[in-house]
Amino acid sequence: MKNQIKYSALVWIAMLMSTAADAQNTANAAVGGVNANAQEFNHVFQWILLGAIALLLGATAFMSMRVMKMYQDIVLTAIAKEEGRDVINIIKEQAAKETWLDKIKFQLFGTGAVAIEKERDIMIDHPHDGIYELDNRLPPWWVSMFYATIVFAVAYFAYYHYFDMGKSQLAEYKEEMRKGDILKAQTAERQANLVNENNIVAVTDKAALDQGKDIFIGKCAACHGQKGEGGVGPNMTDDYWLHGGDIKKVFTTVKNGVPEKGMIAWKDQLRAVDMQNVSSYILTLRGTNPPNPKAPQGDKYVAGEAGNAVSTPADIPKK
């Protein structure tokens, strides 16, 4: 019984710190998507809330300790009456048994537990429904571990939630997500660069074709026209091609260029996936009939059964 007050106080302190840590984590997660002013307000409100929780828990712990003290006094009074002694003298004798240093040493390293055969000496002679209570000590290893958890909780709370020296679970999650995004981008980059003349296929995805259109307007329209009608370079909207009209031939032409006619090799400026997108967009221009198209050049491209080009001379009149 004499140790219950101390254990009660330690339990309430541990509960207070755990509740405060949870409250701060909740508050930090709640302010993640608000502006700076709202964050400052929530930060102040968070500490007000923690203060209110601390006062509430402190008051509860105080009342619990008072109740325990009253109960202990009742038990000591009953013992004193049975022994015919003054309860004040019993309290003084118990207080004088050991110093604070002895109490600390005993709590951490001492044994002090009464053997089973002597438990009758520490049995409190006030049964509750036939159940007797022993005023025995807990095992010292258990008590030491209990104190260690309290010390760890204090250090953990200070390190992560008061001084903000360590990353919270939310911060670690965001950091891992950031690393994951970088890894996905690197993987996509490597995969994009795997596209070549041998495995190229025409893409039909709208986003990819829109990107190809942007590249065409930004880099190709100066020679081939805004709508592919032709200019310095050949017309991209008819069926006649100087270097082949399937996706592989168009990709190869974009990649390596035609230096003898002034077309640069875009492989030094564009990623493989970008050249795939712009080549796929160029194929969508076929048959669009823009105004003022340039006369056909090269051979007519006809897709064969196996997807190969079949060439015929460009002998039809201009569109």
Side-chain angles (χ1 to χ4, degrees):
M1 181 63 65
K2 62 185 178 180
N3 295 314
Q4 290 181 352
I5 295 178
K6 291 185 292 183
Y7 294 150
S8 177
L10 292 174
V11 169
W12 280 108
I13 291 173
M15 290 177 60
L16 170 64
M17 297 189 62
S18 176
T19 304
D22 290 340
Q24 186 171 17
N25 278 338
T26 302
N28 287 339
V31 301
V34 298
N35 56 37
N37 292 333
Q39 288 181 1
E40 182 64 24
F41 172 78
N42 284 335
H43 183 73
V44 174
F45 179 77
Q46 163 192 321
W47 286 107
I48 294 175
L49 179 61
L50 289 178
I53 294 174
L55 289 175
L56 179 61
L57 292 179
T60 305
F62 177 76
M63 293 301 298
S64 299
M65 293 175 64
R66 292 292 298 173
V67 171
M68 293 295 296
K69 183 65 170 59
M70 291 172 61
Y71 181 72
Q72 187 178 36
D73 291 343
I74 293 173
V75 174
L76 290 176
T77 302
I79 294 174
K81 287 182 179 180
E82 291 179 0
E83 296 178 355
R85 300 172 58 192
D86 187 358
V87 65
I88 301 300
N89 293 331
I90 295 179
I91 296 174
K92 289 182 178 179
E93 288 176 4
Q94 289 185 348
K97 285 181 180 179
E98 53 186 354
T99 65
W100 277 102
L101 181 60
D102 294 333
K103 292 179 181 179
I104 294 174
K105 288 182 179 179
F106 193 79
Q107 288 287 347
L108 294 176
F109 310 109
T111 55
V114 176
I116 296 178
E117 58 271 13
K118 295 183 179 181
E119 284 185 345
R120 285 188 172 274
D121 298 336
I122 59 171
M123 185 179 296
I124 299 176
D125 192 23
H126 295 281
H128 301 278
D129 296 331
I131 301 174
Y132 289 84
E133 182 180 357
L134 295 179
D135 190 15
N136 207 349
R137 302 184 71 90
L138 290 169
W141 63 266
W142 190 96
V143 177
S144 299
M145 290 182 63
F146 179 71
Y147 288 144
T149 59
I150 296 176
V151 173
F152 176 81
V154 173
Y156 185 94
F157 178 81
Y159 184 79
Y160 284 99
H161 301 287
Y162 188 79
F163 296 108
D164 292 329
M165 298 173 64
K167 292 182 179 179
S168 65
Q169 291 181 340
L170 180 60
E172 289 182 350
Y173 169 77
K174 290 181 177 179
E175 177 64 17
E176 291 300 320
M177 291 299 294
R178 185 187 68 83
K179 292 180 180 178
D181 291 339
I182 294 175
L183 182 60
K184 287 194 297 184
Q186 292 174 345
T187 302
E189 181 73 18
R190 288 194 296 269
Q191 291 176 343
N193 290 328
L194 294 177
V195 179
N196 56 48
E197 298 88 334
N198 299 319
N199 59 22
I200 180 70
V201 293
V203 296
T204 58
D205 179 69
K206 183 177 184 303
L209 292 176
D210 288 343
Q211 183 188 28
K213 178 180 180 180
D214 292 339
I215 296 173
F216 181 86
I217 293 176
K219 299 184 179 298
C220 308
C223 294
H224 296 281
Q226 292 291 320
K227 297 183 179 181
E229 68 273 14
V232 176
N235 183 356
M236 297 290 175
T237 65
D238 57 27
D239 294 328
Y240 291 84
W241 298 82
L242 291 170
H243 306 285
D246 62 4
I247 185 62
K248 292 184 178 181
K249 297 293 181 59
V250 175
F251 178 86
T252 302
T253 304
V254 172
K255 179 180 178 180
N256 299 321
V258 187
E260 63 274 14
K261 295 185 178 180
M263 178 177 173
I264 67 173
W266 290 105
K267 63 182 179 182
D268 298 327
Q269 300 186 36
L270 296 176
R271 300 178 304 167
V273 68
D274 295 331
M275 292 186 289
Q276 180 185 30
N277 292 340
V278 72
S279 299
S280 300
Y281 172 74
I282 289 172
L283 294 184
T284 67
L285 297 176
R286 186 178 300 165
T288 55
N289 297 319
N292 302 318
K294 188 175 181 179
Q297 294 175 277
D299 297 329
K300 185 176 183 179
Y301 170 79
V302 179
E305 293 182 357
N308 297 320
V310 178
S311 297
T312 59
D315 54 359
I316 64 173
K318 177 180 176 182
K319 294 181 181 178

